[in-house]
Amino acid sequence: MEDNNDDLIELEKVGFVKDKCVEKNLIYETDNDRLYSNLYPILFTKDINIYEYAFEIEPKVHEENVILKIFRQASPQLFEIYGYYYRSGPTFFALKEVTKKKEFKTKIYNQGLLEYTLTVFKSGHHSEIKKDQTNNFSEIDEKIIFLIIREILQANPNVHFDRDNLYLENKKQKVEGVKNYYIHDGYKISIQQAECGICLIIGVKYKIKGDFTVYDMLQEVDAEDLIGRRFIPFEGSRHQQIYEINTDRNPMNTERNCDHKSYTYYDYFKEVLKVEIKDKNQPLILVRPKKSNNTIPKWYVPELCTMIGINDDDIDNNKFMEKITEKTRINPDKKIKQIEKCLEFIL
């Protein structure tokens, strides 16, 4: 099968370049002497093709939340064929050209378990981002450029994304309180159009992670006290919020599917992910559903979920909070150097 990441890998090798007028002090100066802080004009060293794909769903659906679920379930198969994509209305945009119609079967809960067929037609209209283009970018262009940047960054195994924020797994400082915590260096990235063209904006953003799990917390507090708290799932980077801790569910009586085969949670982690769950009878976490009547419940094993944020006892400890503030407060010069380190992942 053709390598579907060819375009992105090539972009990663070529990379982006900072405009020569952007100095190390992160200031861009226009002919009118107006200053823009932390704007990095993006220039491509090759033309980028963006392909548009029309799609339809049978049986027909018009509700946006249902369409989102269908795309979410089909996403792994779509990625294999089209790479990273951006959906807008009845079409989506991607960097890969596919000249044949494709069909994807999905099953989601929508007033019961229903099967839908997502049909994607061969590529139609396409546009180009020219290597020397600096202005007149469309919203689609901006979204595609942002996806490319994310793809380049995620190629680094130490970079983890949470929405538009990223943090570095290998850059962390330990802080001891009632619990132990690690402060990870991180960034918030975005795209913005300015007079100098389309620009990458980088902000410094820290992430605080504990070295304790939801299971650890359940040994110390009532389950009700954890409702609303956030955690990071096993092999995940995106926050989830605890909606319920269900004592009727455990890793032995709850099933999940993988490659058209049904496993208990215990067997799935042991056989597929090669991870042993120590407590087979622990309750499972349910995250907040968008609509309980048409969303497949998402269950998580407390033992494999890392708590984020700061424990209440430590929040009430002034000395501890001073240590956190001391480690996350940086002067402008250090901030500039930290942002430049982020650029090294891209350039």
Side-chain angles (χ1 to χ4, degrees):
M1 185 174 68
E2 181 185 358
D3 185 352
N4 293 307
N5 284 322
D6 278 350
D7 283 334
L8 296 176
I9 292 173
E10 178 65 21
L11 281 172
E12 182 183 350
K13 290 176 182 175
V14 175
F16 299 107
V17 296
K18 287 184 294 184
D19 192 285
K20 292 180 181 178
C21 56
V22 178
E23 304 295 341
K24 289 185 177 180
N25 61 2
L26 308 186
I27 295 298
Y28 177 88
E29 186 172 353
T30 70
D31 293 337
N32 298 324
D33 295 330
R34 282 178 287 181
L35 300 180
Y36 294 84
S37 178
N38 190 3
L39 289 178
Y40 286 87
I42 297 170
L43 301 177
F44 291 93
T45 52
K46 72 170 191 175
D47 296 342
I48 305 299
N49 291 316
I50 301 175
Y51 298 93
E52 182 176 357
Y53 297 90
F55 68 87
E56 65 179 27
I57 297 171
E58 292 290 343
K60 292 191 181 300
V61 293
H62 303 285
E63 301 89 345
E64 178 64 18
N65 66 314
V66 179
I67 297 173
L68 280 172
K69 289 171 193 171
I70 292 169
F71 265 83
R72 190 176 297 123
Q73 188 172 119
S75 184
Q77 292 79 28
L78 288 168
F79 177 78
E80 286 183 9
I81 297 171
Y82 302 94
Y84 281 90
Y85 62 88
Y86 167 67
R87 187 177 73 83
S88 177
T91 61
F92 70 84
F93 301 84
L95 299 178
K96 300 290 293 183
E97 182 180 19
V98 179
T99 57
K100 294 182 179 180
K101 182 175 71 173
K102 302 288 184 181
E103 290 188 350
F104 305 88
K105 302 291 186 181
T106 64
K107 287 183 179 180
I108 68 166
Y109 278 93
N110 182 24
Q111 299 178 350
L113 184 63
L114 297 178
E115 182 174 294
Y116 292 91
T117 299
L118 169 65
T119 301
V120 181
F121 300 98
K122 66 180 183 179
S123 63
H125 175 265
H126 86 276
S127 59
E128 286 183 317
I129 300 176
K130 294 292 188 180
K131 64 180 181 181
D132 56 353
Q133 184 176 353
T134 57
N135 288 298
N136 301 318
F137 288 95
S138 70
E139 181 183 349
I140 303 301
D141 294 338
E142 292 180 33
K143 296 291 184 181
I144 291 293
I145 291 170
F146 188 81
L147 288 178
I148 295 170
I149 292 172
R150 282 194 57 154
E151 170 67 8
I152 292 173
L153 289 167
Q154 286 178 304
N156 188 316
N158 290 315
V159 173
H160 294 269
F161 261 92
D162 178 18
R163 295 182 176 87
D164 296 345
N165 304 320
L166 63 97
Y167 64 94
L168 308 180
E169 190 64 41
N170 63 334
K171 291 286 187 178
K172 56 188 179 182
Q173 307 174 66
K174 185 176 181 179
V175 183
E176 295 181 357
V178 175
K179 302 288 186 181
N180 290 327
Y181 302 87
Y182 293 92
I183 300 174
H184 293 257
D185 286 358
Y187 304 92
K188 183 176 181 66
I189 63 173
S190 61
I191 293 289
Q192 180 176 313
Q193 293 208 37
E195 290 184 14
C196 53
I198 195 164
C199 298
L200 173 66
I201 302 175
I202 303 172
V204 174
K205 189 176 182 70
Y206 292 99
K207 180 184 285 289
I208 300 175
K209 290 172 57 179
D211 64 355
F212 51 97
T213 65
V214 176
Y215 183 85
D216 294 332
M217 293 299 296
L218 283 171
Q219 313 310 306
E220 301 178 13
V221 302
D222 293 333
E224 291 77 12
D225 294 334
L226 296 181
I227 304 302
R229 296 286 296 273
R230 293 187 175 274
F231 65 92
I232 297 177
F234 179 79
E235 287 194 330
S237 61
R238 189 168 183 173
H239 297 182
Q240 298 287 354
Q241 187 173 18
I242 298 173
Y243 177 68
E244 177 187 340
I245 295 178
N246 192 311
T247 55
D248 294 329
R249 295 275 186 170
N250 63 57
M252 299 301 293
N253 67 13
T254 304
E255 296 184 342
R256 66 176 295 169
N257 295 320
C258 180
D259 295 330
H260 307 292
K261 182 179 178 181
S262 182
Y263 297 85
T264 66
Y265 266 55
Y266 179 83
D267 290 336
Y268 171 79
F269 278 95
K270 184 176 181 179
E271 296 178 22
V272 179
L273 301 181
K274 309 302 180 186
V275 174
E276 187 90 26
I277 294 176
K278 297 176 183 177
D279 185 350
K280 300 178 182 180
N281 298 309
Q282 63 188 289
L284 297 186
I285 301 167
L286 176 66
V287 301
R288 181 177 291 279
K290 292 183 178 178
K291 285 191 177 180
S292 58
N293 65 336
N294 63 10
T295 301
I296 300 174
K298 292 184 178 180
W299 300 100
Y300 297 90
V301 181
E303 194 178 293
L304 303 176
C305 296
T306 303
M307 293 290 297
I308 64 170
I310 301 174
N311 189 39
D312 290 343
D313 291 335
D314 286 319
I315 289 176
D316 295 334
N317 185 327
N318 290 334
K319 289 186 177 180
F320 173 81
M321 295 305 293
E322 286 174 2
K323 285 192 287 186
I324 292 288
T325 301
E326 180 183 342
K327 291 183 178 294
T328 56
R329 180 187 293 150
I330 56 175
N331 62 44
D333 288 340
K334 184 178 178 182
K335 185 175 182 179
I336 290 170
K337 290 179 181 178
Q338 208 155 318
I339 289 172
E340 288 177 338
K341 287 180 181 178
C342 181
L343 291 170
E344 292 173 3
F345 295 132
I346 303 172
L347 300 177

